[in-house]
Amino acid sequence: MNEALFLVTNFCSANCNHCHISTSEKNNYLQNEKQIFNSLVSFSKDKSFILLSGGEPLEISISLLKKIVIFLESKSIFYKIATGGHVTIENLYHLFENKRFFCGFSIGTDILIDSRNNNAHELKKIWNKNLNFLNLKKIPYSLTLTYDKSLHSFFTMNEQIFINCNPTFVMLNELENYKLDDSTKVELTDQVNTIFSKKLILGFQN
């Protein structure tokens, strides 16, 4: 399968402290909607799977998102949405529901961590609502856990959040310029395996 990642926007309202996108002075759309769509048409010619990312792809206009979905479906290209989890998925799911080539969501966890997001307490409510909706509707999703020293106690403090999670797989990443030693990687991987038993664990990657 010829897989690729396509950035539909560099806008994201989450404003995570470590993220160069959220702290960018521009923090707006990479291009106008016509340019974005034309770029996708050209980019997708030899692709069989595309991960739509950003920024936050669920914060582009509904008209553009709908146009992208229609195009990918017409070309029989499998696609997945990478989201930070701070946009209410239920309000937008009608765009993807019953679509043949839609493969679900890839959901980040940065907004759950106080050291990474000053509004984590409020955003966590939306994240939980999204997970409950995905589980209720049996919509496939994966989780991306980006590790730094703040996550050593993260799961101990927030394990209840993940009790009802049922991801297809879990991706472990390292923050840029923050390298974990091998023993810490093993410790954290074991911790994730305990919480997400019998799930495929991928990583570490940066």
Side-chain angles (χ1 to χ4, degrees), residues 147 155 172 180 182-196 201-204:
Y147 277 106
F155 283 114
L172 306 182
L180 298 173
D182 289 342
S183 62
T184 303
K185 289 181 181 180
V186 171
E187 176 187 345
L188 294 174
T189 301
D190 287 345
Q191 192 175 23
V192 173
N193 270 314
T194 299
I195 296 171
F196 301 105
I201 309 297
L202 304 175
F204 286 84

Side-chain angles (χ1 to χ4, degrees), residues 83-102:
T83 175
H86 62 283
V87 177
T88 304
I89 293 173
E90 184 175 3
N91 295 342
L92 297 168
Y93 185 62
H94 64 278
L95 298 173
F96 314 107
E97 192 170 14
N98 299 321
K99 295 296 187 292
R100 181 178 179 185
F101 295 95
F102 174 63

Side-chain angles (χ1 to χ4, degrees), residues 111-112 120-129 158 161:
I111 64 167
L112 302 177
H121 178 73
E122 291 301 317
L123 295 179
K124 189 182 296 185
K125 297 175 184 177
I126 302 174
W127 195 93
N128 281 330
K129 181 179 179 181
N158 296 278
I161 293 175

Side-chain angles (χ1 to χ4, degrees), residues 5 37 49 64 69 93 129 147 183:
L5 179 148
F37 185 76
F49 176 89
L64 177 57
V69 168
Y93 185 62
K129 181 179 179 181
Y147 277 106
S183 62

Side-chain angles (χ1 to χ4, degrees), residues 122-155:
E122 291 301 317
L123 295 179
K124 189 182 296 185
K125 297 175 184 177
I126 302 174
W127 195 93
N128 281 330
K129 181 179 179 181
N130 282 332
L131 264 289
N132 289 335
F133 175 74
L134 295 176
N135 288 327
L136 177 66
K137 293 290 186 177
K138 298 183 179 179
I139 302 164
Y141 64 92
S142 60
L143 292 178
T144 299
L145 310 176
T146 306
Y147 277 106
D148 66 4
K149 61 183 178 181
S150 67
L151 282 192
H152 283 264
S153 60
F154 174 68
F155 283 114

Side-chain angles (χ1 to χ4, degrees), residues 29 33 57-67 92 95:
Y29 294 117
E33 293 192 3
L58 295 182
E59 290 186 311
I60 65 175
S61 70
I62 291 180
S63 61
L64 177 57
L65 192 54
K66 182 177 181 180
K67 191 174 181 180
L92 297 168
L95 298 173

Side-chain angles (χ1 to χ4, degrees), residues 1 12-13 45 50 54 70-71 84 111 141 153 165 172 183 194:
M1 181 179 286
C12 178
S13 67
K45 286 182 179 177
I50 293 178
I70 290 172
F71 169 74
I111 64 167
Y141 64 92
S153 60
C165 283
L172 306 182
S183 62
T194 299

